Amino acid sequence: MSNLPPSLRNVLLISALALSARLDASAARVDSAKRFLEKHCIACHGEDEQKGGLRLDTIPFEPAKLENTQMWEQVFQRVADLEMPPKKKARPSEAEQHDFLKTLNDRLVAADLKRQTGEGRVVLRRLNRNEYQNTLFELLGVETDLKSLLPEDAQSLGFDNVGEALNVSAILMERYVEAADAALDAVLVKGKRPECQKWHLSMMPNNIRKPETNSGKWDYRLASGVRVLPDETFIFFNSMFQPMRLEKFQAPVAGHYKFRVSAYAAQSAGHKLSFALYAGSFDPKSLNTHLVGHFDVPPEEPTVIEFTDPLPLRGSIRPLPYRLGQHSINTPELVEAYQGPGIAIQWVEIEGPLIEEWPPRGYQRLLGDLELEKGQLEDAEKALRRILPAAFRRPVEDDEAQPFIDLVSAELKAGKKFEDAFRGGIKAVLCSPDFLFLKEVSPSENPLKQKKRASSTRLPLADFALASRLSYFLWSSPPDDTLFEIAKRGTLRDGATLHSQVERMLSDAKAQRFVSNFTGQWLGLRNIELTTPDKKLYPEYDDALQEAMLKETQLFFAEVLHNDLPVTHFIDSDFTMLNERIAKHYGISGVDGQNFRKVSLDPAFHRGGLLGQAAILKVTANGTNTSPIIRGNWVLKNILGKPVNPPPPNIPAIEPDIRGAKSIREQIAKHRELASCAGCHDRMDPLGLALENYDVIGGWREAYRSTGEGKNATTEVEGRRVQYKIGLPVDASGVLQDGRSFQTLAELKSLLFSEGSQVAQCLGEKLLVYSTGGPPGFADKMELREIIHRAGGSGLGLRRLIHEIVQSQAFLNK
């Protein structure tokens, strides 16, 4: 085995350990482990020196003790990864390393399994905001924004669906009552179906006065950069927010509306132009808008853009030309003389609200065609017994429904109208623990008292609990009828059944929630708006680029998932997903239009894998400068699964130098000189330095931009010239902790490919946390290592990894 690459030897070694994980209590094995520590570890972690704050000579070799477990797991990891003992020290033989790791592994696995035989690994967890919103949509068809009524969810282990972080407070319960009221407002409607109307309008703003005669001139004094043609086509020349929403239309009721917008590029010298459309409430007192999308229009030839979008009461739309600049042309003479390009909008047609069924789906599910005013207690009882199994995500015993029925009965006896009494009963359901929490019980704990399966060291999940775990993993919503019926038959744990259900669910449109929620947290994409790039240094950054950044990474992940491509594609890949905006940002030609498509990558593009994607590079930088420390730690944490500990409290952060006087290497050098910092920085800094050729918005650079020292440089943005400085050249070379060196990111990626199994392990552990809502134990990690080895190591496909996760003991048990 000595002639194998270190990484492969490491995988085979740990896999062998995981397969033979049995408790060996012999004193000889313990003595051997102690001798290993004395020979290879105590010199750096003993009385005279405690590197990394770790002292081993005073700690008994008792890995099973809870207070010692985490420390011994770290020791196992560092020795298994060949990081310790360091290369400059005498290395243990393969036999010594194997014996030590086996002894430590056996005790850690046994201790972890013993702990999991009690209450299980995952604590009781409630639905997070996204899951709550989706659950009300699936249960009652509620599309009202309920998520914004609830406070932000806390995170643990990088995710917002981990039970230990999802606390409940009196304030949160008050918000749940408010959210339940808002949901029922949308469900328990009365009266006739809202009329579906049609409008055909111009974009005439209220602040532009139409001439009294045909020969008169339009009054442009209050609207800068707008020209009106005789047919009331409006041409917008400014890329700035101004009062030019569709003021002639305000949604008469909340709902979905279909829009058709006829537009073209005017005075554009034969080039297409783009514009954005925003929708929502533009009332300053209740401002709540969202981006519908960016659209291309051809020169002089009108094209019709169609889309359907949800609007709030009195909502409307607003166009915003893209990158046309800001021009002070607010007199008739200036407007008529202006020869620059503009977006011409001829007309807007609207149809809505679009209502597929009335009463709404939720009403029909609860009450059928019963009129609220005519309801009786029997109707409430039928509705409650009908909705409770879906709300609680399991069959419900008769006596479980009775408290809710009694509540409605008491309200009716007190003289309340049926609507109010019934509303109170349903609201109690939506605020009950069985709705708000995922109660992951074992068969012996199941209310239906399912037959207990074969005994195991772990507590298996009941079928309905397993169905919920699976559906909230892949859909962030409750089980559908198909999954519920399989759970009812008690066959969901069958391997072939689970496999077919995962395939079905991943092929469903709802799986996009998994792509969005998982990548948003694993990769930090939700933080894309936390920093705003400095406009002086990065004037080319805009909303369209940010939108394209997010879509590239999400679509790339979805492509790897759909085609079951090896997880090493996240290190490097020969393709990515681009539209024209982000392709231009990358300097890649031949990509036209707003639509994304799969694009093959040439090495000269300096892209490929997550580390070359702008979204990743932006969320790992601030708005002015990049930090190898932040980016390096991000790679360790999210790609390699080897995060470093937080810095000591007395170590100051590095202040970015946007003047260009000091190189980034000079700025971080003082941290590497400190003994308490050097170990972590030796691991982080080289990985981050390899990414220094990418600026804070993911653009490629050979030198830094600065506001102080350097050569003058200019770029044109929205028709105006922007000036900045070109500072010091970039040096992306580095030396890894194990001594391997690289000159470029491409060379580093080649080195990381040898860590492919570790990348799969890291991703697998992230998926375990996200899918189960709890941290994987040591035994789970060892099982995952064996899964990865069995499935091909670095060649493991993402889709297969998800299948393996779902079939694992960690997923199937509490």
Side-chain angles (χ1 to χ4, degrees), residues 443-753:
S444 60
E445 302 168 305
N446 190 279
L448 293 184
K449 300 179 177 60
Q450 298 180 21
K451 184 179 178 181
K452 192 171 182 178
R453 298 177 184 276
S455 62
S456 172
T457 55
R458 300 183 181 185
L459 294 174
L461 286 176
D463 284 280
F464 291 105
L466 179 59
S468 287
R469 178 175 281 188
L470 182 59
S471 64
Y472 280 99
F473 171 30
L474 298 179
W475 287 348
S476 296
S477 62
D480 63 358
D481 291 343
T482 300
L483 203 55
F484 196 89
E485 285 302 314
I486 294 173
K488 195 172 183 179
R489 294 197 297 268
T491 59
L492 184 56
R493 297 179 70 89
D494 174 73
T497 302
L498 263 180
H499 187 277
S500 66
Q501 287 306 300
V502 169
E503 280 297 308
R504 178 181 72 87
M505 296 172 75
L506 287 176
S507 299
D508 192 282
K510 288 185 286 190
Q512 176 56 36
R513 298 171 185 166
F514 164 65
V515 173
S516 176
N517 290 330
F518 181 70
T519 60
Q521 296 176 87
W522 167 42
L523 303 175
L525 300 185
R526 289 184 179 179
N527 300 328
I528 194 78
E529 295 183 352
L530 289 187
T531 61
T532 302
D534 190 313
K535 282 294 184 183
K536 293 181 180 179
L537 291 172
Y538 304 101
E540 63 268 45
Y541 187 78
D542 53 38
D543 287 348
L545 179 57
Q546 178 175 292
E547 180 190 20
M549 286 178 174
L550 288 175
K551 284 189 176 180
E552 178 197 12
T553 301
Q554 291 173 348
L555 291 172
F556 177 76
F557 181 90
E559 184 75 8
V560 174
L561 174 60
H562 177 74
N563 293 297
D564 195 26
L565 299 177
V567 296
T568 48
H569 274 265
F570 296 128
I571 299 175
D572 198 10
S573 181
D574 60 358
F575 77 91
T576 190
M577 310 298 289
L578 303 176
N579 71 349
E580 181 178 354
R581 178 65 187 94
I582 198 162
K584 182 179 179 181
H585 182 57
Y586 291 167
I588 298 175
S589 59
V591 180
D592 187 62
Q594 300 292 335
N595 292 330
F596 278 77
R597 77 292 314 258
K598 187 175 181 179
V599 176
S600 298
L601 296 175
D602 187 282
F605 297 157
H606 306 295
R607 303 292 164 178
L610 294 174
L611 301 184
Q613 293 182 5
I616 304 301
L617 296 160
K618 183 182 185 301
V619 299
T620 55
N622 59 38
T624 57
N625 216 332
T626 55
S627 168
I629 297 172
I630 295 174
R631 283 180 170 174
N633 190 43
W634 187 94
V635 175
L636 284 172
K637 179 181 177 181
N638 296 298
I639 303 299
L640 299 177
K642 301 177 181 180
V644 298
N645 294 324
N650 59 336
I651 302 299
I654 294 177
E655 294 295 330
D657 175 24
I658 63 173
R659 297 171 301 162
K662 290 183 179 180
S663 70
I664 192 64
R665 290 176 182 271
E666 293 176 294
Q667 294 174 57
I668 64 176
K670 59 182 180 180
H671 281 203
R672 297 172 67 89
E673 294 170 357
L674 298 173
S676 60
C677 300
C680 291
H681 281 275
D682 285 345
R683 297 170 61 200
M684 289 187 299
D685 295 358
L687 298 171
L689 288 168
L691 299 173
E692 279 299 283
N693 277 118
Y694 300 103
D695 60 30
V696 303
I697 59 173
W700 179 261
R701 65 186 178 189
E702 301 288 348
Y704 296 94
R705 294 184 186 184
S706 77
T707 58
E709 300 183 15
K711 297 179 180 179
N712 290 329
T714 59
T715 187
E716 186 169 305
V717 178
E718 296 186 0
R720 57 191 177 91
R721 295 174 66 83
V722 180
Q723 185 171 336
Y724 52 87
K725 304 274 189 173
I726 297 294
L728 297 171
V730 171
D731 179 4
S733 64
V735 180
L736 298 179
Q737 191 178 34
D738 61 10
R740 293 179 295 171
S741 63
F742 58 87
Q743 296 299 313
T744 64
L745 176 60
E747 292 182 11
L748 173 64
K749 287 179 179 179
S750 297
L751 298 179
L752 292 181
F753 252 90

Side-chain angles (χ1 to χ4, degrees), residues 156-203:
S156 178
L157 305 172
F159 295 96
D160 64 3
N161 63 346
V162 176
E164 63 186 27
L166 294 171
N167 299 319
V168 178
S169 65
I171 294 177
L172 179 60
M173 289 309 302
E174 290 177 4
R175 297 291 182 85
Y176 276 131
V177 172
E178 293 177 19
D181 270 324
L184 292 175
D185 285 342
V187 172
L188 300 179
V189 297
K190 294 182 290 186
K192 297 181 179 180
R193 175 199 296 257
E195 181 185 358
C196 181
Q197 304 178 57
K198 293 184 178 181
W199 295 263
H200 184 96
L201 306 168
S202 75
M203 283 296 301

Side-chain angles (χ1 to χ4, degrees), residues 775-791:
F778 186 82
D780 304 319
K781 294 177 183 179
M782 292 301 102
E783 181 190 13
L784 184 58
R785 284 184 184 273
E786 170 55 23
I787 286 171
I788 291 168
H789 172 59
R790 187 177 67 244

Side-chain angles (χ1 to χ4, degrees), residues 14 59 350 388 465 488 605:
I14 294 176
I59 301 176
I350 309 133
L388 277 172
K488 195 172 183 179
F605 297 157

Side-chain angles (χ1 to χ4, degrees), residues 139-157:
L139 183 67
L140 296 173
V142 177
E143 296 184 336
T144 304
D145 180 14
L146 305 175
K147 188 168 65 172
S148 63
L149 300 176
L150 303 175
E152 291 278 352
D153 295 306
Q155 286 194 345
S156 178
L157 305 172

